[in-house]
Amino acid sequence: MEVKVAGKALVLSPMKKEELKGIPIDTKLRFQFYRAIFNENFFCLLETKKEENHASVDCLRLAERLKNILNLPVVFLFRNLQFVERNRLIDRGVYFIVSDKFAFLPFLIINYKETVRKKAEELSSVAQYILLYHLQIDDMNGWSMADMGEELPYTYVTISRAFKNLEELHLCKIELDENRVKRIYFEGTKKEVWERSLPYLKDPVKKKLYFDDIATDSTFTEGGITALAHYTSLNPDETKTYVMDAKGYKDLQHNSIFVNQNDIEGNICIEIWNYPPLCQDYADPLSIYLTLRDDRDPRTEKELEIMINKLW
């Protein structure tokens, strides 16, 4: 099926069964669900399976319910609409397309203006997470955005922006398969990808906090010199370093487990990162490198080099 808006064909792909969890069976029987892309904006396109139009109030209620489930704008595809029906849908703010004749998609205009920006000069946190995951956890060549959504702690829309970010910096290629699904490919060996990406990678640490103790038996991901000492022969510091993202830290704050917080020193240092740790026990080596690459201690510099060389 081909649908055009403003003379440009939408990129459509049927939504998978697992993406439609929580949607009533009768709704799935009445409509064909497509994931659509227009000017880098994503939405759900509903094509009715029968030649029937729907009351504007029913369309509005259905669109609101589906938007909450799918976390995507919902657009109806009609073959024909009477003038009065079209105006009622517009008055209620229901998004729709009438074949190639008419489209009411105000959210695309807003989103399109927001995406007019300078070319990226560094990797976003999500793009960096994806690249480091590919280099250390699992080869992602050929993965789609939906594949990543099942494995990574990010939404489909967030991952799609990361795809664009990686492609803009020429760190990957995005190709459409026979079903017009976007798939990612990193060119070269993992060492080559790492070296090519270094100028765009950033220190994931947003903030460091220090504590005398953490009143819990729970275990946390170790980072900083603590993790580097695990990967190499470097002696650990007296201060133990743990890493977590902002959400993880905020969740723990409610339990009042941190003892004597300050911003200068303590027995324990918590690094709050821009992305969640890729590994459970010790932070991944490449992220550790990024947090310590400006450390001018010759011992640290030497052990960082040894740790990185072990990966390739």
Side-chain angles (χ1 to χ4, degrees):
M1 181 181 68
E2 182 176 78
V3 179
K4 291 185 178 180
V5 174
K8 183 177 179 180
L10 298 180
V11 178
L12 299 175
S13 58
M15 297 187 74
K16 297 178 180 179
K17 182 178 179 181
E18 56 267 24
E19 295 180 272
L20 303 179
K21 288 181 180 178
I23 296 176
I25 294 176
D26 65 324
T27 303
K28 289 188 280 190
L29 292 174
R30 289 168 56 200
F31 296 96
Q32 178 66 50
F33 287 72
Y34 295 95
R35 186 180 291 278
I37 308 173
F38 183 79
N39 287 338
E40 301 300 326
N41 295 284
F42 293 82
F43 58 92
C44 171
L45 183 68
L46 292 185
E47 180 189 22
T48 182
K49 292 182 179 180
K50 296 181 179 180
E51 289 298 325
E52 59 175 296
N53 293 333
H54 305 272
S56 60
V57 65
D58 293 336
C59 290
L60 177 62
R61 290 170 180 165
L62 178 59
E64 289 176 343
R65 289 198 301 270
L66 294 178
K67 181 181 178 181
N68 291 331
I69 296 172
L70 300 171
N71 197 28
L72 287 170
V74 174
V75 177
F76 292 90
L77 175 64
F78 299 113
R79 296 305 171 191
N80 291 287
L81 270 185
Q82 297 296 321
F83 179 79
V84 174
E85 294 175 316
R86 191 177 74 185
N87 285 347
R88 285 175 178 168
L89 289 169
I90 292 174
D91 288 342
R92 293 191 182 277
V94 177
Y95 307 143
F96 65 92
I97 297 170
V98 185
S99 294
D100 298 332
K101 303 173 186 176
F102 189 90
F104 178 65
L105 305 169
F107 72 96
L108 287 183
I109 298 174
I110 296 171
N111 289 344
Y112 181 66
K113 289 180 179 177
E114 289 178 347
T115 57
V116 176
R117 55 182 173 80
K118 294 191 300 181
K119 183 178 178 180
E121 296 180 353
E122 65 178 18
L123 285 171
S124 68
S125 298
V126 180
Q128 183 164 315
Y129 185 100
I130 289 172
L131 187 140
L132 297 181
Y133 192 100
H134 165 73
L135 294 177
Q136 302 170 99
I137 309 300
D138 197 356
D139 190 311
M140 285 184 157
N141 281 317
W143 284 35
S144 68
M145 288 180 265
D147 294 333
M148 290 189 186
E150 294 175 359
E151 295 294 327
L152 307 185
Y154 297 109
T155 65
Y156 186 99
V157 174
T158 304
I159 292 170
S160 73
R161 295 185 184 127
F163 267 44
K164 179 70 173 176
N165 186 204
L166 287 160
E167 187 178 37
E168 279 187 349
L169 295 174
H170 306 291
L171 297 177
C172 74
K173 282 189 175 182
I174 307 298
E175 299 180 359
L176 291 176
D177 66 14
E178 64 275 9
N179 296 315
R180 300 189 65 78
V181 174
K182 287 186 176 182
R183 297 190 178 277
I184 195 168
Y185 294 93
F186 296 93
E187 293 187 301
T189 66
K190 291 187 176 181
K191 182 179 181 181
E192 290 169 343
V193 174
W194 164 250
E195 292 175 346
R196 195 164 64 244
S197 66
L198 267 174
Y200 309 111
L201 292 165
K202 56 190 178 184
D203 182 351
V205 179
K206 291 175 60 177
K207 189 174 183 179
K208 291 184 179 181
L209 298 173
Y210 294 88
F211 306 88
D212 287 346
D213 195 8
I214 301 179
T216 180
D217 293 329
S218 299
T219 58
F220 304 104
T221 303
E222 298 185 3
I225 296 295
T226 307
L228 181 61
H230 165 74
Y231 290 119
T232 68
S233 59
L234 186 71
N235 291 325
D237 283 348
E238 291 184 3
T239 298
K240 203 167 185 78
T241 301
Y242 298 115
V243 305
M244 58 189 70
D245 64 359
K247 182 181 182 302
Y249 177 72
K250 186 177 180 180
D251 291 343
L252 290 170
Q253 270 188 313
H254 293 302
N255 298 326
S256 301
I257 63 173
F258 299 116
V259 180
N260 296 333
Q261 175 183 331
N262 68 89
D263 298 330
I264 302 174
E265 62 180 2
N267 298 323
I268 295 170
C269 171
I270 289 185
E271 295 179 348
I272 300 176
W273 283 15
N274 288 313
Y275 50 82
L278 279 78
C279 306
Q280 184 173 357
D281 296 325
Y282 299 93
D284 66 281
L286 297 184
S287 290
I288 292 301
Y289 174 87
L290 295 171
T291 67
L292 296 172
R293 64 175 166 181
D294 293 328
D295 191 317
R296 293 297 171 242
D297 186 324
R299 295 171 304 165
T300 301
E301 291 179 336
K302 178 182 177 182
E303 296 302 331
L304 284 174
E305 183 179 353
I306 291 173
M307 178 181 67
I308 294 299
N309 288 335
K310 285 181 180 178
L311 295 175
W312 322 123

